[in-house]
Amino acid sequence: MTRTYLDHNATTPLNSEAASAIADALPLFGNPSSVHDEGRRARKAIETARDAVARMVGARPDAVVFTSGATEANNALMTAAMASGLPLFVSAVEHLSVLEPVESYPHLVVLPVDLEGRVDVGALETLLPEPEDEPRPSAPRFFASVMLANNETGAIQPVSEIAKRVHARGGMLHCDAVQAAGKVPVEIEALGADFLTFSAHKFGGPKGVGALVRRADTPWPVPPLIAGGGQERRVRAGTENVLGIIGMGAAATAIGTRLTSVPRMKAMRDRLEDAVLRDCENVSVFSRSAERLANTSCFAVPGLSAETAVIGCDLKGVSIGSGSACSSGKVAPSHVLEAMGAGAGFSASAVRISLGPETAEADIDRFIAVWREVYERFNERRDCAA
Ligand code: PMP
């Protein structure tokens, strides 16, 4: 059975650019820290990839640190923020790799979101410390972390507005740009965030590699993410994941190709959503009125559990996501939807459809047909129980 993959926010297939860059680099076995020829060739490949990631976001190459993924980078920044003892403002809809490390930090302030899942900039303004005379003091007065696009709903946060306010009060802003990469243009200076974090596998690169990128005039406030050797300018020790980094660089170079498919993805996503809204009673589409990623649709039919829906689709060859699909395969209530005011019933029923550049109209037709079957079976069972 051919399959229809509609879970690109969980991970994307390795694109051909990244796959051939990795395949070509397989013979490259040198340790990038070695001074001999084999080492120098590996080092050159890493620096080429660093340039590509820097170019993708308009940063300086020396401001890019490769990591094992966004989880590591997010954890490290939150750990550094907590080590400072300063107030830390984090949105309620952040990924768990931001929220979990700071859960019991005594100076944590959780930023609320509105019903569409957007950070309320007005509320933020009232929560941040009062402005000081010196607008950008040499040391930050507080830290904040607000993602660019949500992994569950696709809602896009007003990051540049938030950055202006954070900087006006003397703070530093981290922005998790994992889900935005390849779906909206990500420009570090335009966003104004001090740090961006990425995972390569969300934009056609390999899994287990990511990056922490710093804005040009932001100092590194972070102790080494991993201590040991002097790799990554002493910020992240350990022999580099050479093949992963090469794959990430190739995926970053090809980011423009992904962005050109966005209007097509939006048209397909809207067609899919219109069909679901037409075919199902009481369906709620989350963040529908917010600015959101063109590839993402998150919706719930109360009573139809996400688990049943995901398994029903899977058996018919269609892969979709439920809630936040990042963890161990179990469907836990979504902290994102709960923060948006959705009751536990809605949250347990939320499924996420996320398209990719390779998604075709036929995949959407197939999803619509399969979803109709899943929904009809649910209705029959509900009628029998009544
Ligand atoms: N942030 C966001 C918004 C994500 O969607 C994810 C992955 N689901 C991560 C961080 C963590 O990425 P990784 O698992 O690749 O470390």
Side-chain angles (χ1 to χ4, degrees):
M1 175 167 59
T2 58
R3 293 196 58 93
T4 283
Y5 182 76
L6 294 174
D7 200 12
H8 287 80
N9 287 11
T11 196
T12 62
L14 194 66
N15 65 21
S16 57
E17 291 87 348
S20 38
I22 293 170
D24 291 349
L26 284 175
L28 208 65
F29 68 91
N31 184 326
S33 299
S34 300
V35 293
H36 48 57
D37 180 67
E38 289 83 352
R40 285 201 313 274
R41 279 197 276 146
R43 162 68 44 218
K44 187 159 176 271
I46 290 180
E47 296 315 318
T48 303
R50 197 186 309 282
D51 286 350
V53 171
R55 229 175 303 115
M56 174 175 84
V57 296
R60 285 202 324 239
D62 67 357
V64 175
V65 172
F66 288 112
T67 65
S68 66
T71 297
E72 179 191 322
N74 289 350
N75 270 222
L77 284 173
M78 292 307 105
T79 305
M82 291 188 292
S84 73
L86 293 167
L88 173 60
F89 298 83
V90 171
S91 101
V93 295
E94 291 306 300
H95 189 261
L96 292 177
S97 56
V98 168
L99 287 174
E100 286 224 343
V102 302
E103 210 170 39
S104 42
Y105 183 53
H107 311 295
L108 175 72
V109 181
V110 177
L111 300 169
V113 294
D114 63 18
L115 295 174
E116 295 292 320
R118 301 244 302 171
V119 170
D120 184 334
V121 179
L124 168 86
E125 220 151 17
T126 61
L127 289 168
L128 292 181
E130 286 302 312
E132 270 196 347
D133 294 342
E134 191 195 354
R136 289 223 69 178
S138 47
R141 296 173 66 211
F142 63 91
F143 290 92
S145 180
V146 178
M147 70 199 331
L148 185 48
N150 188 265
N151 43 306
E152 294 183 40
T153 63
I156 294 174
Q157 301 295 350
V159 171
S160 58
E161 289 302 305
I162 293 169
K164 276 184 212 134
R165 285 158 176 86
V166 165
H167 289 154
R169 310 287 176 99
M172 258 190 183
L173 179 67
H174 160 239
C175 174
D176 173 339
V178 167
Q179 292 292 342
K183 300 170 192 158
V184 290
V186 179
E187 255 289 323
I188 196 163
E189 292 300 329
L191 285 172
D194 295 287
F195 299 99
L196 297 180
T197 45
F198 296 94
S199 267
H201 69 104
K202 306 284 185 174
F203 58 94
K207 291 161 204 22
V209 60
L212 168 56
V213 182
R214 172 176 51 96
R215 211 159 58 95
D217 58 357
T218 300
W220 277 115
V222 276
L225 312 190
I226 296 180
Q231 292 90 350
E232 295 298 281
R233 293 184 181 76
R234 304 210 150 272
V235 175
R236 204 265 186 186
T239 303
E240 296 88 338
N241 171 4
V242 180
L243 292 176
I245 290 171
I246 289 171
M248 183 173 190
T253 303
I255 206 91
T257 319
R258 293 185 93 75
L259 289 168
T260 55
S261 71
V262 167
R264 208 173 54 83
M265 285 199 290
K266 180 174 185 310
M268 288 192 283
R269 189 276 312 269
D270 289 349
R271 182 162 80 82
L272 177 154
E273 228 167 50
D274 288 346
V276 169
L277 284 161
R278 193 185 52 230
D279 291 348
C280 310
E281 270 174 58
N282 295 331
V283 62
S284 280
V285 179
F286 299 103
S287 300
R288 194 156 191 248
S289 318
E291 190 189 347
R292 69 183 158 136
L293 295 177
N295 79 318
T296 307
S297 180
C298 180
F299 58 84
V301 174
L304 170 53
S305 87
E307 212 161 357
T308 305
V310 171
I311 293 168
C313 288
D314 187 40
L315 291 172
K316 297 280 177 184
V318 177
S319 305
I320 64 169
S322 65
S324 179
C326 279
S327 50
S328 49
K330 75 176 192 316
V331 181
S334 152
H335 70 279
V336 172
L337 302 180
E338 283 178 6
M340 291 163 60
F346 265 112
S347 167
S349 299
V351 293
R352 178 187 66 187
I353 319 298
S354 47
L355 286 60
E358 53 286 307
T359 304
E361 295 287 354
D363 294 313
I364 305 300
D365 294 339
R366 187 177 186 187
F367 171 79
I368 293 171
V370 165
W371 183 261
R372 204 172 284 146
E373 279 180 47
V374 168
Y375 180 70
E376 276 165 14
R377 215 172 317 124
F378 156 70
N379 258 346
E380 280 161 21
R381 255 183 282 121
R382 193 173 52 175
D383 291 345
C384 290

